[in-house]
């Protein structure tokens, strides 16, 4: 299948490692040009170099803390300067701190709103003029299976990712007439630094070893193991490709069957 991504321009936020990096790499393998945005310039430069070397595609980067409005503006300035167009936006961000209701005061709620929901609003706002210029676009939001089944001890993530999902569904209706398709991909347990960190926190809280935590989690997954970033990226990239012409407003769980909800 031709994904129709050759020479398309893709912006991937929080793209220096983990799921964002895997998605950016898969786009580059399909011949797309990629702009990576994340906070750490050195890490970004290294990731961009490695993806370009592996795929032969053009990979640019911009250092930006995407919880800040000015940073989002700077990202689009760089997209304009380097590529002058945009065809696909992949929104991703670092995960909010783990904790329960009693752990957080207003300041953390406010900060998480900026970093994990308002960032998506601002990124979409910045992408639309580019999409309108080329007469269409694709948006893929990376969230979590918590959009279907809230996860214990992750109250901030549960709340704001549900917001992204509702935003994406609304946008899919508003933007379909313009040829802009909007979908959400929800990872379950894909082996990245974030999952290692969460397993470590659980191990510390329960007195289990990290291996025991992982084995326990794997028992909840019908496929019997954590997913790989590449497995995650293949689904995300199809949804955010030009081979996808009829799927919009969907939230696809990439979780090895972990969530039991219909
Ligand atoms: P990760 O920790 O491996 O990578 C996170 C990325 O976010 C890094 O590139 C980091 O530099 C970037 N980042 C963090 N804060 C940022 C900011 N303010 N501005 C710009 N960039 C920032 O995490 P991951 O596993 O790749 O997960 C990506 C997202 O998916 C996270 O929000 C995570 O909570 C969520 N998620 C992941 C899984 C999974 O299975 N890995 C499951 C559920 C949800």
């Amino acid at each position: 299948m031709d994904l129709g991504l050759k020479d398309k321009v893709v912006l991937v936020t929080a793209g220096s490692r983990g799921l964002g990096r895997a998605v950016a790499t898969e786009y580059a393998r399909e011949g797309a040009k990629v702009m990576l945005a994340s906070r750490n310039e050195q890490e970004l430069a290294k990731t961009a170099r490695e993806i370009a070397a592996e795929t032969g595609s053009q990979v640019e980067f911009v250092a930006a803390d995407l919880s800040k409005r000015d940073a989002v503006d700077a990202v689009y300035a760089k997209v304009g300067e380097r590529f002058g167009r945009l065809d696909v936006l992949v929104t991703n961000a670092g995960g909010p701190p783990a904790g329960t209701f009693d752990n957080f005061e207003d300041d953390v709620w406010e900060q998480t709103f900026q970093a994990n929901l308002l960032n998506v609003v601002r990124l979409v706002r910045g992408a639309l003029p580019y999409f309108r210029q080329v007469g269409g676009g694709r948006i893929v939001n990376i969230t979590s299976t918590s959009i279907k089944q809230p996860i214990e001890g992750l109250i901030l993530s549960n709340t704001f990712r549900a917001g992204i999902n509702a935003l994406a569904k609304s946008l899919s209706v508003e933007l379909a007439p313009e040829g802009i398709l909007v979908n959400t991909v929800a990872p379950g347990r894909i082996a990245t630094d974030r999952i290692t960190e969460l397993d470590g926190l659980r191990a510390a809280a329960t007195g289990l070893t990290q291996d025991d935590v992982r084995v326990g989690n794997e028992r909840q997954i019908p496929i019997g193991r954590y997913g790989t970033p590449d497995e995650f990226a293949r689904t995300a990239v199809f949804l955010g490709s030009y081979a996808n012409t009829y799927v919009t407003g969907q939230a696809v769980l990439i979780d090895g069957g972990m969530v039991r909800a219909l």
Side-chain angles (χ1 to χ4, degrees):
M1 176 169 39
D2 177 4
L3 295 185
L5 289 168
K6 180 106 190 68
D7 292 329
K8 293 278 197 287
V9 175
V10 182
L11 167 62
V12 182
T13 64
S16 65
R17 57 188 158 90
L19 302 181
R21 176 186 172 133
V23 168
T25 304
E26 199 58 39
Y27 274 110
R29 287 183 187 131
E30 291 297 322
K33 299 173 182 176
V34 177
M35 176 67 74
L36 299 174
S38 240
R39 283 167 309 177
N40 184 317
E41 180 137 26
Q42 265 183 330
E43 202 178 344
L44 271 171
K46 183 167 176 287
T47 300
R49 228 180 11 254
E50 288 171 356
I51 298 176
E54 183 203 317
T55 63
S57 285
Q58 185 180 352
V59 184
E60 303 283 346
F61 63 91
V62 50
D65 175 350
L66 290 153
S67 59
K68 310 267 191 308
R69 185 189 179 117
D70 289 356
V72 176
D73 294 343
V75 167
Y76 282 106
K78 189 86 169 203
V79 167
E81 177 207 313
R82 289 299 153 103
F83 297 120
R85 64 179 285 154
L86 185 71
D87 304 280
V88 181
L89 166 66
V90 180
T91 72
N92 184 32
T100 58
F101 189 77
D102 285 333
N103 295 130
F104 304 116
E105 292 300 330
D106 279 7
D107 56 335
V108 185
W109 282 95
E110 181 68 40
Q111 213 176 311
T112 308
F113 167 63
Q114 297 274 340
N116 289 92
L117 182 55
L118 195 54
N119 66 323
V120 179
V121 172
R122 289 169 174 156
L123 284 162
V124 170
R125 194 185 285 130
L128 289 180
Y130 285 106
F131 289 169
R132 286 174 174 145
Q133 199 180 309
V134 293
R138 300 288 181 272
I139 299 173
V140 180
N141 304 294
I142 298 181
T143 60
S144 163
T145 52
S146 63
I147 60 172
K148 282 272 190 240
Q149 180 180 296
I151 299 169
E152 233 176 276
L154 287 181
I155 197 162
L156 294 169
S157 169
N158 295 341
T159 304
F160 290 105
R161 297 193 198 280
I164 295 177
N165 199 31
L167 170 70
K169 189 71 184 179
S170 307
L171 283 173
S172 71
V173 175
E174 291 183 19
L175 298 176
E178 297 185 75
I180 300 167
L181 308 190
V182 188
N183 290 289
T184 296
V185 279
R189 294 210 156 247
I190 311 294
T192 65
D193 295 347
R194 166 79 173 172
I195 288 299
T196 307
E197 179 197 328
L198 290 177
D199 284 0
L201 290 172
R202 180 120 191 95
T206 56
L208 295 169
T209 67
Q210 197 152 331
D211 274 353
D212 288 340
V213 170
R214 179 170 182 140
V215 169
N217 285 336
E218 286 176 340
R219 280 205 201 99
Q220 306 301 315
I221 301 171
I223 288 183
R225 59 175 174 80
Y226 288 1
T228 67
D230 273 359
E231 287 177 307
F232 175 83
R234 287 196 288 272
T235 301
V237 170
F238 167 72
L239 288 169
S241 78
Y242 285 78
N244 173 22
T245 50
Y246 205 61
V247 180
T248 193
Q250 301 307 305
V252 177
L253 271 51
I254 305 171
D255 69 345
M258 184 175 77
V259 171
R260 303 308 201 255
L262 290 175

